Amino acid sequence: MGKKRRAIVMLGLPASGKGTQAENVAAKINAEIVGIGDLVREAISDGNFSDEIIVEIKSNYNKGIPQSDEIAGKLLEEKINNSKGNLIFDNYPFSLKQIKFFEHLIEKYNFSEPEIIYIKIKPETSVSRITTRLVCDKCKKIYLSGSVGDSCSSGGCNGRLIKRTDDTPEIMKKRVNFAQPRIDLVVDYYRDKAKVYEIDGEKSISEVAEEINKVL
């Protein structure tokens, strides 16, 4: 069977810094980050619109409707099947049904037991951080400081910082209320059967990164 691949699940509320820390972990263990949102956007960008599934994905996306577990699972397995190394799963699994499918994939594609990293912040922190969050319109890098129109600091990127239209306190409260019970479900499920690390996400980016490095 060969050496098992590592499967790391990164969990956190919106604006927890999960994306930034996932990039740090990816560089540290030579892993690729897998997020359902990214897979959906790739499917829409590269897909054949004579395929009914691609049409359904685009329709759901345009209406703001979450993709079904079946569609998410199909995209995820295709991605895993086409990858070779360690993987970091961004807020997946996110339901009991997804957990069961995820465990099937872990066994099928020769991964070791998943490692769960939960960057924990208060709901009010998630909402307050969103008031300052900006994103590059090209590379999508997240910034928690700066001004709209500033240049992106990523090397070779000519993008500008913008404010997402859905980054409002009202929408963020809804997203937090949706996400928190699902995160709790995953953490509770794996607490006694996998490595689960709860990281204090209220600290600075560098302090959070240091805490994660300790457990990896």
Side-chain angles (χ1 to χ4, degrees), residues 65-121:
I65 300 172
Q67 305 295 332
S68 67
D69 284 343
E70 288 72 23
I71 287 178
K74 184 178 187 303
L75 294 175
L76 186 65
E77 180 160 16
E78 183 177 342
K79 178 68 175 181
I80 294 174
N81 188 46
N82 291 326
S83 67
K84 293 182 179 179
N86 302 321
L87 294 180
I88 299 171
F89 297 88
D90 184 351
N91 265 2
Y92 189 96
F94 223 44
S95 69
L96 185 57
K97 188 174 182 179
Q98 289 182 3
I99 287 173
K100 296 301 183 183
F101 184 68
F102 181 66
E103 291 188 325
H104 161 72
L105 295 179
I106 290 296
E107 181 177 358
K108 181 177 179 179
Y109 291 97
N110 197 35
F111 285 92
S112 57
E113 283 295 319
E115 301 162 73
I116 315 299
I117 297 177
Y118 172 24
I119 302 177
K120 193 172 185 177
I121 62 173

Side-chain angles (χ1 to χ4, degrees), residues 126-143:
S126 179
V127 175
S128 65
R129 283 181 179 178
I130 215 62
T131 62
T132 60
R133 186 167 79 171
L134 300 171
V135 61
C136 173
D137 63 355
K138 294 289 179 63
C139 72
K140 308 305 178 185
K141 180 178 178 179
I142 299 293
Y143 292 79

Side-chain angles (χ1 to χ4, degrees), residues 3 19 24-25 41 46 54 63 70 77 79 91 94 105 107 124 131-132 138 167 169-170 173 192 212-213:
K3 184 179 179 181
N24 291 338
V25 174
R41 286 184 283 273
D46 304 334
I54 299 297
K63 294 175 183 176
E70 288 72 23
E77 180 160 16
K79 178 68 175 181
N91 265 2
F94 223 44
L105 295 179
E107 181 177 358
E124 53 266 33
T131 62
T132 60
K138 294 289 179 63
D167 275 357
E170 294 75 19
K173 288 176 183 177
D192 295 328
I212 294 174
N213 285 340

Side-chain angles (χ1 to χ4, degrees), residues 47-58:
N48 180 351
F49 283 90
S50 63
D51 186 331
E52 292 182 1
I53 293 180
I54 299 297
V55 172
E56 181 179 354
I57 290 172
K58 184 169 176 33

Side-chain angles (χ1 to χ4, degrees), residues 1 11 28-29 44 58 60 72 95 97 108 115 140 147-148 152 164 166 171 173 178 183 191-192 195:
M1 294 291 291
L11 300 174
K28 180 178 177 61
I29 68 168
I44 293 171
K58 184 169 176 33
N60 290 341
S95 69
K97 188 174 182 179
K108 181 177 179 179
E115 301 162 73
K140 308 305 178 185
S147 301
V148 172
C152 177
R164 286 174 172 168
D166 61 343
I171 293 177
K173 288 176 183 177
F178 173 83
I183 291 173
R191 195 177 299 280
D192 295 328
K195 297 176 181 177

